[in-house]
Amino acid sequence: MILVVGGAGYIGSHVVNRLVESERVVVYDNLSTGCREAVNEQAIFIEGDIADEKRLTQVFSLFPIKTVVHLAAAGLEVESHENPQLYYENNVTATLVLLKIMREHHVKNIVYSSTALTEPLHEKSYIETTNPYARSKYFSEQILQDYTMAYKMNCIVLRYLNASDIQVEDLVNAYSLAIETVVKNEQSFKIYNLGNGQGYSVKETKEKETITKSESRIEDTPVFIANLQKIQQELGLYAEKNLQRIISDTWNGHQNKNFNF
Ligand SMILES: NC(=O)c1ccc[n+]([C@@H]2O[C@H](COP(=O)([O-])OP(=O)(O)OC[C@H]3O[C@@H](n4cnc5c(N)ncnc54)[C@H](O)[C@@H]3O)[C@@H](O)[C@H]2O)c1
């Protein structure tokens, strides 16, 4: 059985839609930014916060969880500059609580959702994060690595950035593959970049709109292009969508939006 924390959110709900086709799934989410209606009816939904030890313990006692997919986080870069405490508490401290309860219940497999941390790059590139949100993700990665080694866990970290409606399909493929892989691994910590390996300028994404130039924002990073060699070589995963499809599917997705993410 798979526990998806943050499974009522934008990406989580898509991941759950795929997982229920072949697995029993429990979604645990505090609905801070998620949407109850987005959770697939075949999944069991429990409202709760991953910082809530007591409630998490009940969930792990009640269900035979083997793998955790961790998507529960506050995720707005600008907000993270304004309120770093929220980000470190919700994304780092609460992750520690989740890991503690996993350990107590001998659950060893975790797929963690991280963000692209710096300019392109290989998974081992020098890390220079630009905002408290990204730092909260980086600290959590470090914690996960230590836990993996010390407590013989298996962890796959997926790093990506600014998913839009069509890339979600590629992301869901990546999560599926990561879940499949993590359960086969033994005491292993892997980080994989996701993306399509190409960079697009803002100009390229705005064919028909007027572009207004302005000062760059404090949280902006000038270039983000993921190097995808590792995930392609090790897991055989290739992104399917090009820029044209990303834009048209994102546009169509916004026209037909059912949920308020
Ligand atoms: N969307 C992106 O482009 C992107 C890029 C890189 C990484 N990520 C990461 O992927 C994950 C999902 O992102 P998303 O875009 O779907 O965001 P989202 O806000 O739609 O989903 C996050 C979900 O987690 C829940 N949540 C937050 N804190 C919680 C807590 N303490 N306990 C229980 N539930 C909690 C929210 O209610 C929400 O349902 C996040 O960890 C995010 O940092 C997203």
Side-chain angles (χ1 to χ4, degrees):
M1 199 164 200
I2 296 182
L3 174 67
V4 183
V5 298
Y10 173 54
I11 294 165
S13 56
H14 285 90
V15 171
V16 170
N17 284 342
R18 173 74 63 83
L19 289 179
V20 293
E21 291 171 7
S22 55
E23 306 275 356
R24 289 168 66 214
V25 178
V26 178
V27 170
Y28 184 84
D29 197 300
N30 66 6
L31 299 181
S32 52
T33 54
C35 182
R36 172 67 186 92
E37 292 72 31
V39 178
N40 192 294
E41 283 178 3
Q42 292 177 60
I44 297 164
F45 177 75
I46 296 168
E47 185 172 343
D49 196 297
I50 54 166
D52 185 341
E53 263 191 68
K54 214 167 148 193
R55 195 152 176 78
L56 260 191
T57 301
Q58 286 171 345
V59 173
F60 277 85
S61 306
L62 207 56
F63 302 104
I65 311 287
K66 293 273 176 282
T67 303
V68 173
V69 182
H70 184 355
L71 298 121
L76 300 174
E77 294 178 9
V78 176
E79 185 186 57
S80 78
H81 280 290
E82 293 160 0
N83 189 2
Q85 182 171 322
L86 169 72
Y87 279 72
Y88 292 124
E89 279 182 357
N90 197 58
N91 296 359
V92 183
T93 313
T95 294
L96 279 167
V97 175
L98 173 65
L99 288 171
K100 177 179 177 222
I101 308 300
M102 282 177 68
R103 274 195 67 212
E104 286 172 1
H105 292 81
H106 311 289
V107 178
K108 292 189 173 289
N109 307 319
I110 181 163
V111 174
Y112 180 70
S113 315
S114 192
T115 185
L117 293 165
T118 180
E119 197 198 322
L121 303 123
H122 301 271
E123 287 80 352
K124 283 186 182 163
S125 298
Y126 171 69
I127 301 296
E128 192 182 354
T129 53
T130 53
N131 58 77
Y133 162 64
R135 273 188 282 280
S136 74
K137 290 286 176 179
Y138 178 60
F139 296 157
S140 299
E141 286 187 5
Q142 299 291 295
I143 291 167
L144 282 160
Q145 182 161 19
D146 290 341
Y147 273 55
T148 302
M149 296 312 145
Y151 307 125
K152 301 188 174 26
M153 294 176 70
N154 307 308
C155 175
I156 290 184
V157 172
L158 298 177
R159 282 185 185 164
Y160 53 95
L161 197 72
N162 295 341
S164 55
D165 280 0
I166 200 39
Q167 290 164 304
V168 164
E169 222 173 292
D170 279 329
L171 272 181
V172 170
N173 290 339
Y175 273 92
S176 277
L177 195 55
I179 293 160
E180 218 176 277
T181 307
V182 84
V183 295
K184 292 187 206 145
N185 289 346
E186 270 188 38
Q187 193 174 359
S188 140
F189 178 82
K190 298 264 188 186
I191 297 177
Y192 294 110
N193 286 340
L194 303 176
N196 66 6
Q198 260 176 287
Y200 298 114
S201 68
V202 172
K203 224 170 166 183
E204 282 173 277
T205 64
K206 299 214 170 183
E207 273 178 356
K208 293 178 187 147
E209 294 171 42
T210 313
I211 297 172
T212 314
K213 280 197 172 181
S214 61
E215 291 295 310
S216 64
R217 297 171 304 175
I218 174 173
E219 70 279 3
D220 283 341
T221 303
V223 184
F224 263 119
I225 308 168
N227 181 308
L228 305 179
Q229 233 175 359
K230 187 174 169 195
I231 198 160
Q232 290 170 350
Q233 282 172 359
E234 293 188 14
L235 302 189
L237 187 82
Y238 291 83
E240 290 172 5
K241 311 297 176 295
N242 61 24
L243 181 63
Q244 224 40 52
R245 283 263 329 258
I246 291 170
I247 293 173
S248 63
D249 288 1
T250 300
W251 175 254
N252 293 335
H254 278 285
Q255 303 301 304
N256 307 317
K257 251 204 173 15
N258 294 322
F259 306 117
N260 196 19
F261 289 121

